[in-house]
Amino acid sequence: MDFSLTDEQEMLRDTARTLLAKECPPTLVRACIDDPAAADELWQRHVREWAVLGDGDLVDHVLFLEEAGRVMLPGPYFATSALFLPLVRAVDHPLAAAAAAGEVTGTVSMADRSGQWLVHDEPMHTFVVDADRVDHIAFVVPGPAVAVVATSDVRVQRIESLDLVRRYGHVDVPTQVEPVPIDPQALSEVLERATVALAAEMIGVSSWLLDHSVAYAKERVQFGRPIGSFQGLQWKLVGMAQDHERAAAAVAYAAMAIDADDDDRRRATHVAKAAAGRAARGGAQDGMQVHGGIGYTWEHDLHLYLRRAFASDALLGTADWHHDRLADLLLG
Amino acid sequence: VRLAWDERDEAFRDELRVFLDEHCPDELRRGRDFLGGQDEIPVWAQEWQAALFDHGWMIPSYPPELGGRDATAVQTLLFLEELASRGIPRSLHFGGYAIVGPSLLEFGNDEQKAMAPAAIRGDTVWCVGMSEPNAGSDLAALSTRAVLDGDAFVVNGQKVWTSYAAIAQKCFCYVRTDPTVAKHKGISVLIIEMETPGVEIRPLKQIGGSSEFAEVFFTDAVVPAENLVGDLNDGWRITMGSLAHERGGLWVEGVFAALRAIEGLVRVARERGVDRDPVVRRKLGELYERAASLRSLGYKGFSSFAQGSSAPEHSFMKLSTTELRKELYRTAMDLQGAWGAVVDPEWSSEGGRWQHAWITSLAGTIGGGTSEIQRNVIATRVLGLPKG
């Protein structure tokens, strides 16, 4: 297993980091809380050209998603490139090319009322990411099959979410549209890819939390010295770093396993999402503790990441759920 | 980023597999979790280490005269991986090949360098005199005193937790040669023959019942001045090297032992009829997640290392794998319920293997730098936090 990046991959990551640091400042992210259209220009001018990564090697897509997670990139990027595009591509839908080109946006509607992404025949789907903000919704329906519908043709009910930036909706499943069958194996591969993509975004979240907490511990002085010199805080930060590092490695490995269609791809997917969930949630809670009172204010960005960490852990399977799936693979 | 190594490396692995299938003694094929505790080294173990050396499989990155085959870093990793996944150790006494041999080659004079092949082949058994009663985690506080008197050092003091001292012929010993300067600056390394008058060894029985450690007492032991390794009072640099040699590939063993332990937990859960219990299932899933993600972290660190970058990932590996192993073996005891308290080979799962592994795993977070020291080191050197 060789984790080293090629020169092109290093360049992809550096370009994305520079671009997003400049074009997606915290002020823009916060503007989207009240008005999601605040990110429209960012999407149009800078981000949509990166949607094509959802069509290629997952290892490359993962690099961009980590950067996206670090700045909490608002807008339809995740739903379009990590959910919609791989699914419509798997059924050769004519919209795939336009989605890859960033000309249309979309999301996937699949989860049932329990929040599980399993094929079911309930009349309403939920946890539909950015359902009210994209052009098209691809429904996964019994068969399994995929029905792609314009958002304007379905009833979307926004549900307020813990995450202030990523929106969720309930969507009524349309009955008049003829779905296209999808091979169950292909569907599960699309979901694996989406799960690892989300885990990658969460690595960006835990890296933001770690970096800011370490930096704050070096700056903040109490009892005449930086609080980062106290062992109690040092060990907490070491624990955050430990969980972040192994989750980041697990995500990179899962992306490689999926790209290579390795036998280990399913296990690797569960490991990546569970590890990323633990790292992001733990990093958010411990990061809050390291920041003390200042981290508990609305003005500080920490709570945006805290909310994102917990919401993302809950999406596409919590760490507990993925642990149970690993147990199924280990114990039968 | 890619999953497989190139063809040349895979050919290397194939050659190793053939060698292992042909030469590995039966005693090592059982894939036990831990070895050691022997009062003497069995003949089969001596022959195994010599065979590895003679075929260039002892330290593959070394040239043939040092028991290697000029292997690349990637090949060395494949080698460690293959051994670790089968649970096969190279030697029952790691001090000689893992610490003393490499240190002699790096810091010794020509005569001392010439001792390295025998140390690596296991023909000479070495112990390493580091810890003392008042110098454990604070190794630089060591006080075993060596005073240069004419052409010899006179050594007085005590070492403790000295692995294999009872079976060793030589000791690679850290001594204080200048007590008047800062503690890191007055340490030197001496090669001390264990037969030297004034050297007394008392085996130290461990909680598991075996005695691979010993206390070593020095009372006016006379050591020739030419047995000094490196420069006088420059021993701290050698200590740092010793610990690095010890740690280099240990993560591979730690990770694969953890993955093997999980296979064992699955067996125990089934045997005890708790494999449908949702609490047990979730716990095993979580343990697998930790072991598998650490395997990825180890390889990721290795990839940076092989490219010549520093690998902060590896700082986490000793800490994480030893803590994980404690939890794995403790879980194996939990799965057995009341039978976790039984070590009778007739009644206990797999002959009391898990209880033994659990007791032994408790040493993992103490020896070679405690978990607490590892956390302090990561805090200051990896995260750059100010010293407390």
Side-chain angles (χ1 to χ4, degrees), chain A residues 309-330:
Chain A
F310 277 71
S312 292
D313 179 55
L315 188 63
L316 285 164
T318 61
D320 284 344
W321 187 84
H322 287 284
H323 287 154
D324 290 346
R325 299 294 77 71
L326 285 169
D328 295 344
L329 296 173
L330 289 168

Side-chain angles (χ1 to χ4, degrees), chain B residues 93-379:
Chain B
H93 50 107
F94 71 86
Y97 79 86
I99 298 179
V100 179
S103 297
L104 289 172
L105 291 168
E106 191 175 346
F107 300 103
N109 58 31
D110 287 348
E111 216 166 291
Q112 291 161 348
K113 282 189 171 76
M115 298 176 180
I120 297 165
R121 195 171 185 270
D123 299 335
T124 312
V125 179
W126 287 76
C127 60
V128 181
M130 291 182 118
S131 296
E132 296 181 3
N134 292 313
S137 289
D138 184 9
L139 182 64
L142 62 90
S143 62
T144 293
R145 186 81 171 91
V147 179
L148 189 58
D149 179 14
D151 56 1
F153 288 97
V154 178
V155 181
N156 281 285
Q158 181 196 347
K159 295 289 174 184
V160 70
W161 318 122
T162 312
S163 302
Y164 322 110
I167 53 172
Q169 286 111 43
K170 293 175 197 287
C171 179
F172 193 78
C173 195
Y174 290 88
V175 292
R176 178 145 318 273
T177 37
D178 188 346
T180 64
V181 292
K183 62 183 181 179
H184 296 86
K185 294 180 177 165
I187 295 170
S188 303
V189 176
L190 295 179
I191 295 171
I192 302 179
E193 301 287 335
M194 297 302 278
E195 302 272 282
T196 309
V199 177
E200 191 198 340
I201 299 139
R202 289 186 209 154
L204 192 58
K205 196 166 176 177
Q206 299 154 227
I207 63 169
S210 62
S211 309
E212 71 180 54
F213 294 142
E215 295 175 290
V216 183
F217 295 87
F218 300 95
T219 311
D220 293 329
V222 177
V223 178
E226 67 260 28
N227 286 19
L228 175 71
V229 181
D231 293 333
L232 192 67
N233 296 325
D234 196 27
W236 187 249
R237 209 159 59 91
I238 304 180
T239 338
M240 293 292 97
S242 296
L243 293 173
H245 292 311
E246 184 183 339
R247 274 177 208 145
L250 275 184
W251 68 268
V252 185
E253 199 188 315
V255 160
F256 280 87
L259 289 166
R260 278 204 316 281
I262 288 167
E263 289 169 18
L265 293 182
V266 168
R267 283 199 307 275
V268 175
R270 288 191 177 132
E271 178 196 312
R272 297 286 160 176
V274 293
D275 55 318
R276 311 311 303 169
D277 181 319
V279 177
V280 167
R281 294 174 71 84
R282 185 165 290 179
K283 180 73 189 170
L284 294 197
E286 188 219 332
L287 290 168
Y288 179 81
E289 176 240 298
R290 285 167 60 189
S293 57
L294 286 174
R295 177 179 56 189
S296 295
L297 183 58
Y299 284 111
K300 190 179 174 200
F302 175 80
S303 297
S304 330
F305 174 75
Q307 286 202 324
S309 319
S310 67
E313 291 88 353
H314 280 172
S315 313
F316 294 101
M317 295 305 289
K318 197 269 179 188
L319 172 63
S320 304
T321 56
T322 53
E323 293 289 343
L324 175 61
R325 285 172 80 176
K326 279 208 298 202
E327 195 167 337
L328 285 163
Y329 299 124
R330 191 174 61 233
T331 303
M333 307 238 301
D334 291 345
L335 293 180
Q336 296 173 61
W339 293 100
V342 174
V343 294
D344 188 316
E346 197 184 328
W347 293 95
S348 189
S349 286
E350 301 179 37
R353 167 193 172 189
W354 298 104
Q355 285 78 357
H356 177 70
W358 166 68
I359 287 212
T360 313
S361 73
L362 299 177
T365 56
I366 300 171
T370 64
S371 288
E372 289 69 27
I373 292 290
Q374 305 293 334
R375 289 189 187 99
N376 292 348
V377 168
I378 293 168

Side-chain angles (χ1 to χ4, degrees), chain A residues 116-136:
Chain A
Q116 299 204 66
W117 291 59
L118 302 170
V119 179
H120 63 97
D121 59 2
E122 290 177 16
M124 190 187 76
H125 288 180
T126 188
F127 294 100
V128 184
V129 176
D130 289 323
D132 62 339
R133 298 290 312 157
V134 293
D135 304 328
H136 301 274

Side-chain angles (χ1 to χ4, degrees), chain A residues 75-117:
Chain A
Y77 184 79
F78 178 78
T80 302
S81 70
L83 302 174
F84 184 74
L85 173 55
L87 183 63
V88 293
R89 181 62 79 193
V91 292
D92 281 328
H93 193 279
L95 276 174
E103 287 158 9
V104 299
T105 61
T107 191
V108 169
S109 174
M110 179 168 182
D112 64 12
R113 289 177 73 91
S114 74
Q116 299 204 66
W117 291 59

